[in-house]
Amino acid sequence: MEPEAAIINPRNLPALSWLSLSRNLLLAYQSFGVVYGDLSTSPLYVYRSIFLGKLQKHQNEIAIFGAFSLIFWTLTLIPLLKYVFILLSADDNGEGGTFALYSLLCRHGKFSLLPNQQAADEELSAYNYGPSSDVAVSSSLKRFLEKHKKLRGVLLIVVLFGASMVIGDGVLTPSISVLSAVSGLQVTEPKITDGLVLLISCVILVGLFALQHCGTHRVAFFFAPVVIIWLFSIFFIGLYNTIRWNPEIVRAISPYYIIKFFKETGKDGWISLGGVLLSITGTEAMFADLGHFTAFSIRLAFGLAIYPCLVVQYMGQAAFLSKNISSIPNSFYDSIPGPVFWPVFVVATLAAIVGSQAIITATFSIVKQCNALGCFPRVKIVHTSKHIYGQVYIPEINWILMVLTLSITIGFRDTTLIGNAYGLACMTVMFVTTLLMALVILFAWQRNILFAVAFLLFFWSIEVVYVSAALIKVPQGGWVPVVLSCIFMAIMFIWHYGTRKKYNFDLHNKVSLKWILGLGPSLGIVRVPGIGLIYSELATGVPAIFSHFVTNLPAFHQVLVFVCVKSVPVPFVAPEERFLIGRVCPRSYRMYRCIIRYGYKDIQRDDGYFENQLIQSIAEFIQMESVEPQFTNSESSSLDGRMAVISTNTAQSTSSLIVSEIEDLGLSNLSSFQSGRSITLQSLRSAYEDENPRVRSRRVRFQLPQNQGMDPAVRDELMDLIQAKEAGVAYIMGHSYVKARRSSSFLKRSVIDIGYSFLRKNCRGPAVALNIPHISLIEVGMIYYV
C-alpha cells in the first residue's frame, strides 16, 4: 500500500475530492425521489391525526405549541440522531435494511437456522466485516445464542415480523398519502362529496399499481424534481405562516413546551402521540434504500433539505393553527395562501404518488430478500433495470398490494383511522431495527456491551412510549397492520420451517459414497452420452434423488454434475467468486460438484451461457487439479474432495479448452423443404421465411488445444467432457412431496401438510425459478417425511 500512496500526486487530491463530492451531490438529488417521498408528505395529515382524537377538547394554543415541540424533538432524535448519525454507519457492504443487519449477525455468529453454510463462504471478499478480535462479554453472549436454537428462532421471528411490518407499510402508505392529498379538493369545492374523493383516490391508486411494471428507473428523474418542488413549497409556506400568524412559535423548540403539553392534556396527550409519530413515517427508507445511494449522499439530502424544510413547515402550520383553531381538520390546505393553492395541490398529489411509489418499491425489495434467504415462497421477480441493482417488480405482490390498499381505502375512508394503523406499523419496524442494531454494535462492531445497552435503552425508552400510544388505537384501525403482519409472517415462517425440514431430510438421507464406490465407475448401469445436471439444495454429499433415479432407471449420463444454487449472507457475490467446483468420487467416475453462490440482492439472470460457463469451469478445475499439489493427493479427492473457486473470467480465458462459435441460421429443421417439390411445402417454407427472416443464433463448440505436454489422463477427461457436452445436457430435479410423519404433533401436521403444501402448490416451481429449460428437464418423484 505504501508504494501506491507515494505515487499519488498531492495536486490531484482536490480533483479527486471534487469528483467524489459531485457524485454524492448527484446521488443526493436522486435520493429525493426514491427515499424521501413518504417522509416529506407527512405534513398533509399529522396535525389532523393528533387533534381529531382525544385532544378535541384540548384544542388551544398550549396544546398546539406542545404538539410542535413533540414533532421537532421526534424528528431530531429518531431520523436525525438514530438513523442519519448511527444506523447509516451499519451498512452491509453498502446495503441497508432489516435483512442487512440480520446478515451481519449471521456472518459474525452461527445464528442462521439453515445449515448450508460452508467454510469457503467465509473467504468471500464481501464476507469479512469489522474487527477480528472478540470482546469477552460479546463472545460469551454469542456462544450462548448459538447454543440455544430456540433463541435463534426468536431472532428470526423478530426479523420476519419487522419485514412483515414493512410490507404493511406498503399497503397503508399509498392509501393515506393519496387520500390525504385528494381530500384537499373539498377545501375550495365544498360540493365535492366524500364519495367522489374516494373514487378519485381509488382511480389514482389503480393507475399507480398498474404502472409498476414499467420500473422505477423510467420515472426516477421525474420523481426527484417533484419532491424538490414540494419541499420548496412547504418551506416557504411554513416560513410565511410563521411570520404572518405567530412568530412566537419559535420558542416551542424548547422541550419545556412538551412538559406544558402533558400538564394540559394528561392521558389524552399520551394517546395523541400516535399522531405525532406519523411525522417520521418513511424514515426507515433512509436505511433500507442505502444500497442505491451512499451514506454521505443520504445524510447530505436530509441535513440540508429534508430536516429544515419539515421543521419550518410544521412550525408554520402550528403558527397558523394557534390563530385558526377551527382549521384543524384541514390544517395543511387551509394554511396555504389562496393565490398558490392549486399549484400546491397539484404538487402535493404528485408528491403523495411519489411517496407511495417509494414504499411499494421497498416492499418488492424486501420480498426479494426474504425469497433469497429462504423465507418467502418463490415468486416471479422481474428486474426492471439492467444497470441499477434492486429495482425489481413482482407481479403477484403488486396485485395483492393493490387489492389490500383499495380495501383499506374503501373500508376506512378516513385518514385518521388509517393513520392509527400506519403509525403502529412504522414504529414497530423502528423498534425491531433498534434491537438488531444493538446486537450489531455488540457482535459485528464488537464494542463494549455498555455501548449496546446504552443505545438500546435510550431509543427504546422513546419508542416504547410511541408504541404504547399506538397500541391504544388498535381497536380504531390499529389492528390492520397487526393482522397483515401476522398473515405475512405466518407465510414466511411456514415456508422457512418447511424448507429447513426438507433440507434436514436431504442432509440425513444422503447417499453413502461407499455404496457409490461399490457400484464402480459404471455405477452398475449403462452410462449414456451426455451431461446430467442433478439439482439439489445440498452443498455437500450426494442427494437421495440420485439413488432413487439409479435404482429405477437402467441408464445415466456419461458425466454427472451435482448443482447447488444457494444464497449466502452477503448482499452481492462477485462473478469471479460465484462458482465453486469440486469432484465427487475418483476421476474415472466423471462426477463433479458445482455450487453457485448468490447474495441476497444479486440478480439471477438467465443469460443463456450457464452451460458453457459450467463446462469451462469444470475444465479449468480439471487442469488446476493436475497442477496444484493440494488437489493431487492420489485418491483423496474420491470422497467429496476439495472445492476450488473458479472465476468465470478465468475460465473463459483458460487454455484448457479452445472455444469457438458457430453461427446457426435456424433453418436446419426446414432443410427437407428445399428438396420438396410439393407446392404446399414450398408455400409453407416461404411463409416461414417471411415470418422468421433468417433467425441467427450462435452455438459454442469446445476443442482441446494441441498441447503435447498435457497429462494423458487430463486429456482423456477433457475429451469426455467435450463429447458429453456435444451429446446434450439434461437437467435432473426432484419433484418433492413433503409430508409430516404420522407421529408428529397436530400443529406440525397442520403446518406441513396444509400450510407448506398449499404454498408449494401455489408458488412458482423450482425449475421455473432457476430458469431451467423445460424441454431438457427430468423430474424425479420423491416423498419427504419430515
Side-chain angles (χ1 to χ4, degrees):
M1 294 299 293
E2 291 181 2
E4 292 182 6
I7 296 174
I8 296 177
N9 188 348
R11 296 180 180 178
N12 293 332
L13 292 178
L16 291 173
S17 61
W18 170 248
L19 180 64
S20 175
L21 180 61
S22 60
R23 176 175 176 269
N24 279 290
L25 286 173
L26 177 62
L27 290 173
Y29 165 78
Q30 294 176 344
S31 70
F32 285 111
V34 178
V35 177
Y36 296 112
D38 186 13
L39 183 62
S40 64
T41 54
S42 296
L44 287 170
Y45 44 78
V46 168
Y47 281 108
R48 170 188 172 91
S49 298
I50 293 174
F51 286 99
L52 286 189
K54 294 286 186 178
L55 289 189
Q56 287 187 359
K57 53 186 176 183
H58 299 286
Q59 295 180 357
N60 52 52
E61 186 171 302
I62 295 177
I64 290 171
F65 273 47
F68 167 67
S69 187
L70 279 167
I71 292 172
F72 171 78
W73 284 105
T74 303
L75 280 170
T76 303
L77 292 176
I78 295 183
L80 186 63
L81 179 60
K82 175 185 169 182
Y83 280 86
V84 172
F85 285 105
I86 301 177
L87 248 78
L88 288 180
S89 301
D91 64 293
D92 180 15
N93 294 281
E95 294 297 323
T98 305
F99 274 93
L101 296 177
Y102 183 63
S103 72
L104 280 179
L105 294 174
C106 288
R107 294 214 301 276
H108 286 83
K110 298 177 181 179
F111 300 139
S112 177
L113 295 177
L114 200 62
N116 65 346
Q117 296 181 355
Q118 298 173 283
D121 297 338
E122 300 181 8
E123 299 175 2
L124 291 169
S125 58
Y127 201 93
N128 296 324
Y129 185 93
S132 58
S133 60
D134 286 344
V135 180
V137 178
S138 64
S139 298
S140 58
L141 181 59
K142 181 170 68 174
R143 287 193 296 269
F144 178 76
L145 291 174
E146 291 174 347
K147 183 180 179 180
H148 293 81
K149 187 176 180 181
K150 290 184 178 180
L151 291 178
R152 288 184 283 137
V154 170
L155 178 63
L156 176 65
I157 290 175
V158 169
V159 174
L160 295 181
F161 187 67
S164 300
M165 280 294 184
V166 174
I167 298 175
D169 275 352
V171 174
L172 297 169
T173 299
S175 179
I176 190 172
S177 299
V178 174
L179 196 58
S180 298
V182 176
S183 62
L185 288 171
Q186 294 178 309
V187 176
T188 55
E189 299 292 337
K191 295 182 180 179
I192 296 180
T193 63
D194 293 340
L196 184 58
V197 169
L198 182 65
L199 178 62
I200 296 173
S201 300
C202 290
V203 170
I204 293 175
L205 288 171
V206 171
L208 175 66
F209 284 100
L211 291 175
Q212 291 302 309
H213 72 280
C214 297
T216 307
H217 67 284
R218 297 183 183 273
V219 285
F221 280 94
F222 172 70
F223 282 178
V226 168
V227 176
I228 291 174
I229 294 172
W230 166 251
L231 289 171
F232 273 110
S233 302
I234 63 175
F235 177 82
F236 286 112
I237 290 172
L239 190 63
Y240 168 81
N241 286 328
T242 301
I243 296 172
R244 178 185 176 186
W245 294 104
N246 196 350
E248 293 185 0
I249 189 66
V250 177
R251 295 189 303 174
I253 291 176
S254 169
Y256 169 71
Y257 284 85
I258 297 178
I259 299 174
K260 292 182 65 176
F261 173 81
F262 284 113
K263 284 183 178 179
E264 167 70 21
T265 59
K267 181 181 177 182
D268 294 338
W270 168 61
I271 295 175
S272 69
L273 290 177
V276 175
L277 67 86
L278 293 179
S279 62
I280 57 173
T281 53
T283 301
E284 188 71 21
M286 284 196 293
F287 185 47
D289 291 329
L290 181 59
H292 302 286
F293 308 98
T294 61
F296 180 71
S297 64
I298 292 179
R299 287 173 175 143
L300 199 65
F302 185 84
L304 297 182
I306 302 296
Y307 181 74
C309 288
L310 287 177
V311 168
V312 172
Q313 165 57 211
Y314 286 119
M315 182 187 298
Q317 267 197 70
F320 172 79
L321 291 177
S322 65
K323 303 300 181 182
N324 301 272
I325 301 294
S326 60
S327 296
I328 285 178
N330 294 295
S331 59
F332 176 77
Y333 285 110
D334 283 348
S335 67
I336 299 174
V340 296
F341 176 84
W342 285 109
V344 172
F345 170 77
V346 173
V347 175
T349 305
L350 293 175
I353 296 174
V354 170
S356 304
Q357 171 66 42
I359 194 64
I360 292 171
T361 304
T363 303
F364 292 156
S365 298
I366 285 289
V367 172
K368 181 185 181 299
Q369 293 177 27
C370 294
N371 180 265
L373 295 176
C375 296
F376 202 87
R378 291 179 293 267
V379 290
K380 182 179 182 180
I381 299 175
V382 180
H383 297 274
T384 58
S385 174
K386 295 181 180 179
H387 309 289
I388 304 175
Y389 282 103
Q391 292 194 356
V392 296
Y393 166 67
I394 305 177
E396 298 95 329
I397 301 300
N398 182 64
W399 302 124
I400 290 173
L401 287 179
M402 187 189 76
V403 171
L404 292 175
T405 301
L406 291 175
S407 301
I408 295 297
T409 306
I410 297 172
F412 286 102
R413 304 188 180 191
D414 185 1
T415 55
T416 303
L417 293 177
I418 300 174
N420 294 339
Y422 190 27
L424 180 60
C426 173
M427 191 51 64
T428 305
V429 175
M430 293 182 180
F431 198 76
V432 170
T433 303
T434 301
L435 172 63
L436 295 177
M437 184 63 206
L439 294 176
V440 167
I441 292 174
L442 193 60
F443 299 135
W445 290 2
Q446 296 175 0
R447 298 291 182 88
N448 193 295
I449 192 172
L450 294 178
F451 287 99
V453 172
F455 174 86
L456 186 68
L457 293 180
F458 178 76
F459 287 105
W460 262 14
S461 63
I462 299 171
E463 293 166 356
V464 162
V465 176
Y466 283 109
V467 170
S468 62
L471 288 174
I472 293 295
K473 297 184 178 181
V474 167
Q476 291 84 36
W479 56 270
V480 173
V482 176
V483 172
L484 290 177
S485 298
C486 289
I487 293 174
F488 281 108
M489 189 174 66
I491 291 173
M492 292 180 186
F493 189 78
I494 288 172
W495 183 262
H496 186 270
Y497 179 79
T499 302
R500 193 171 76 244
K501 289 296 182 181
K502 181 176 177 293
Y503 184 88
N504 287 331
F505 180 91
D506 275 332
L507 200 62
H508 293 108
N509 290 274
K510 292 189 293 188
V511 178
S512 170
L513 286 175
K514 292 183 179 180
W515 177 75
I516 297 177
L517 293 173
L519 296 176
S522 67
L523 301 179
I525 55 177
V526 179
R527 299 292 290 270
V528 298
I531 297 179
L533 302 182
I534 305 172
Y535 277 78
S536 168
E537 295 176 358
L538 287 180
T540 59
V542 177
I545 63 169
F546 175 74
S547 62
H548 194 64
F549 193 101
V550 167
T551 54
N552 285 277
L553 291 176
F556 222 115
H557 297 86
Q558 177 185 358
V559 174
L560 298 178
V561 184
F562 296 96
V563 181
C564 171
V565 180
K566 76 170 188 175
S567 293
V568 289
V570 295
F572 302 103
V573 175
E576 58 269 17
E577 299 175 320
R578 194 173 305 284
F579 282 82
L580 265 177
I581 303 293
R583 186 185 295 281
V584 180
C585 297
R587 174 174 291 178
S588 57
Y589 283 65
R590 302 296 191 257
M591 297 170 67
Y592 310 93
R593 182 183 309 284
C594 174
I595 298 177
I596 311 168
R597 301 176 292 184
Y598 287 98
Y600 59 82
K601 283 202 169 183
D602 265 325
I603 299 175
Q604 300 184 26
R605 285 200 179 101
D606 181 20
D607 50 15
Y609 297 109
F610 168 71
E611 293 178 6
N612 299 328
Q613 289 178 352
L614 180 62
I615 299 303
Q616 290 173 291
S617 299
I618 294 176
E620 180 67 16
F621 171 79
I622 294 171
Q623 185 78 0
M624 181 189 301
E625 188 185 37
S626 66
V627 175
E628 299 189 12
Q630 63 264 36
F631 292 102
T632 57
N633 187 11
S634 64
E635 291 299 309
S636 64
S637 61
S638 63
L639 299 178
D640 248 351
R642 294 185 51 141
M643 301 193 72
V645 178
I646 305 295
S647 169
T648 53
N649 297 328
T650 305
Q652 290 174 2
S653 60
T654 181
S655 59
S656 300
L657 297 179
I658 298 176
V659 182
S660 59
E661 291 187 351
I662 301 175
E663 190 173 274
D664 185 5
L665 298 180
L667 297 176
S668 58
N669 293 334
L670 301 177
S671 58
S672 59
F673 286 175
Q674 298 183 7
S675 60
R677 298 182 179 180
S678 168
I679 299 177
T680 304
L681 290 179
Q682 292 290 349
S683 61
L684 287 173
R685 179 173 179 270
S686 61
Y688 180 87
E689 290 180 346
D690 291 339
E691 294 180 3
N692 303 273
R694 296 181 71 81
V695 179
R696 296 176 182 269
S697 62
R698 292 185 178 274
R699 186 164 56 91
V700 176
R701 293 193 63 183
F702 299 99
Q703 295 176 329
L704 283 179
Q706 299 299 323
N707 186 356
Q708 301 297 330
M710 182 180 292
D711 187 343
V714 173
R715 176 175 288 275
D716 290 343
E717 189 171 6
L718 291 175
M719 183 60 69
D720 287 345
L721 184 66
I722 293 173
Q723 292 174 352
K725 173 64 171 68
E726 292 293 325
V729 179
Y731 297 79
I732 301 156
M733 178 173 287
H735 187 82
S736 56
Y737 300 89
V738 183
K739 295 182 179 180
R741 293 190 182 97
R742 292 183 179 179
S743 60
S744 302
S745 64
F746 173 77
L747 180 60
K748 182 178 179 180
R749 290 201 304 270
S750 301
V751 168
I752 296 296
D753 295 342
I754 299 176
Y756 187 68
S757 177
F758 175 81
L759 292 176
R760 281 182 62 86
K761 290 178 181 178
N762 290 277
C763 72
R764 296 171 70 82
V768 178
L770 294 172
N771 299 309
I772 294 176
H774 185 71
I775 195 171
S776 305
L777 177 64
I778 301 174
E779 290 189 305
V780 181
M782 283 285 295
I783 298 179
Y784 290 77
Y785 289 100
V786 298

